[in-house]
């Protein structure tokens, strides 16, 4: 299990390991930022490297290659925000997405994440509170002025 603060940190810490093609599109809106993420694993290209590092086995390379291509793992991603966008995860459980990935898998991992822009939301809420309080004060003053004129 590994946690990253951002996509940039994940790229920086991965070093020369090139096991995924990552495409990240970012669109900024006033209340939120939309991230479209598409990650295509390139694990199939590392099967030869894995076979070379395994040493000498009594099995033939085609058998080992077939075995490695059928190996699968679950890739789980837990995000700090709830997911409202599209994704192609096999299991979606709250803020956690799970993909079943094989070494020969060519289907990309796709998801959309909407991250709220908290400062803009706070600014709008403060403006709304000021407008509502001002409207209430003006309404009360007008009402008092009408009551004074009647007497």
């Amino acid at each position: 299990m590994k946690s990253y603060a951002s996509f940039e940190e994940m790229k920086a810490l991965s070093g020369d390991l090139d096991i995924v093609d990552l495409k990240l599109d970012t669109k900024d809106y006033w209340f939120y930022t939309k991230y479209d993420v598409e990650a295509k694993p390139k694990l199939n290209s590392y099967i030869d490297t894995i076979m070379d590092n395994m040493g000498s086995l009594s099995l033939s390379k085609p058998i080992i290659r077939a075995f490695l291509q059928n190996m699968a793992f679950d890739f789980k991603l837990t995000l700090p925000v709830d997911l409202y966008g599209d994704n192609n995860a096999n299991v979606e459980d709250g803020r956690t997405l799970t993909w079943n990935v094989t070494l020969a898998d060519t289907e990309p991992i796709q998801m959309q994440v909407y991250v709220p822009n908290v400062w803009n939301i706070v600014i709008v809420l403060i403006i709304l509170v000021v407008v509502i309080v001002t409207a209430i004060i003006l309404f009360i003053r007008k009402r008092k002025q009408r009551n004074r004129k009647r007497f």
Side-chain angles (χ1 to χ4, degrees):
M1 178 181 283
K2 180 68 178 157
S3 298
Y4 296 100
S6 67
F7 287 110
E8 290 78 21
E9 179 186 358
M10 186 174 66
K11 285 181 183 178
L13 293 177
S14 67
D16 293 335
L17 194 61
D18 187 26
I19 60 172
V20 66
D21 284 332
L22 182 66
K23 180 180 156 190
L24 175 65
D25 291 329
T26 305
K27 292 182 183 175
D28 290 324
Y29 296 97
W30 179 254
F31 290 114
Y32 62 90
T33 301
K34 177 184 171 187
Y35 294 97
D36 283 321
V37 180
E38 183 177 311
K40 188 170 184 179
K42 297 189 302 184
L43 299 173
N44 197 18
S45 62
Y46 285 94
I47 289 179
D48 291 329
T49 307
I50 293 169
M51 288 176 24
D52 291 339
N53 291 334
M54 289 177 76
S56 62
L57 295 174
S58 60
L59 300 173
S60 66
K61 284 196 175 191
I63 293 174
I64 296 172
R65 184 181 311 274
F67 174 74
L68 289 175
Q69 286 179 341
N70 289 324
M71 286 184 72
F73 61 92
D74 288 341
F75 175 70
K76 288 188 177 192
L77 177 66
T78 302
L79 298 169
V81 294
D82 287 333
L83 296 167
Y84 299 107
D86 296 330
N87 62 68
N88 65 347
N90 297 97
V91 178
E92 183 175 341
D93 184 25
R95 300 177 314 167
T96 302
L97 298 174
T98 305
W99 288 270
N100 299 17
V101 181
T102 63
L103 290 179
D105 205 355
T106 59
E107 175 149 350
I109 294 171
Q110 298 172 334
M111 68 177 175
Q112 289 179 342
V113 180
Y114 294 90
V115 179
N117 190 340
V118 177
W119 287 111
N120 288 348
I121 294 171
V122 168
I123 290 169
V124 168
L125 289 176
I126 290 172
I127 290 171
L128 282 174
V129 167
V130 168
V131 167
I132 290 171
V133 168
T134 304
I136 291 172
I137 291 172
L138 290 175
F139 178 74
I140 292 173
R141 282 188 179 179
K142 281 191 175 191
R143 195 139 173 112
K144 283 184 179 182
Q145 287 176 356
R146 283 186 196 164
N147 288 341
R148 286 183 189 168
K149 289 182 182 180
R150 287 184 185 171
F151 294 113

